[in-house]
């Protein structure tokens, strides 16, 4: 049985190179939009986003901290995603 996220909580965000790359590679339909900090070399991420039709926005690093409360841990990447679906055992 699959549990769907409750109404109003279906969006979340993830951050960091490896986390974002894993979602883009294995579950690209979960990714709704990317925010990429200026002056970051994320061409592989951008190419994957374009391949899957995911919009992205180049922003200042301060934007990521202000809107998502992430710091250098984000490595210049934040992705808006759908909620994670849990399964009952």
């Amino acid at each position: 049985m699959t549990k769907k996220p409750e109404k109003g909580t279906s969006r979340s965000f993830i951050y960091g190179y490896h986390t974002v790359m894993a979602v883009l590679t294995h579950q690209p339909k979960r990714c709704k939009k990317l925010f990429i900090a200026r002056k970051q070399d994320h061409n592989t991420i951008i190419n994957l986003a374009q391949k899957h039709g995911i919009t992205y926005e180049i922003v200042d690093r301060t934007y990521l901290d202000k809107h998502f409360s992430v710091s250098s841990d984000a490595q210049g990447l934040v992705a808006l995603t759908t909620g994670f679906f849990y399964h009952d055992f």
Side-chain angles (χ1 to χ4, degrees):
M1 172 187 275
T2 302
K3 288 186 178 181
K4 294 185 179 181
E6 293 190 27
K7 207 170 197 174
T9 62
S10 62
R11 286 249 170 131
S12 58
F13 69 90
I14 58 171
Y15 58 91
Y17 180 82
H18 295 289
T19 307
V20 171
M21 184 64 129
V23 168
L24 287 175
T25 302
H26 302 291
Q27 299 176 330
K29 290 181 180 179
R30 284 191 60 214
C31 190
K32 300 303 174 194
K33 184 171 182 177
L34 289 171
F35 293 92
I36 303 168
R38 296 183 200 286
K39 300 180 183 175
Q40 296 293 309
D41 183 21
H42 291 306
N43 291 331
T44 304
I45 297 278
I46 290 171
N47 289 338
L48 274 173
Q50 290 172 337
K51 175 183 173 184
H52 295 294
I54 300 164
T55 60
Y56 63 92
E57 189 174 336
I58 307 296
V59 297
D60 289 325
R61 197 176 265 275
T62 54
Y63 179 91
L64 299 179
D65 190 38
K66 183 178 178 181
H67 288 85
F68 301 103
S69 298
V70 296
S71 58
S72 62
D73 294 341
Q75 299 169 309
L77 286 171
V78 173
L80 294 180
T81 62
T82 59
F84 187 77
F85 297 97
Y86 292 91
H87 292 277
D88 287 334
F89 289 106

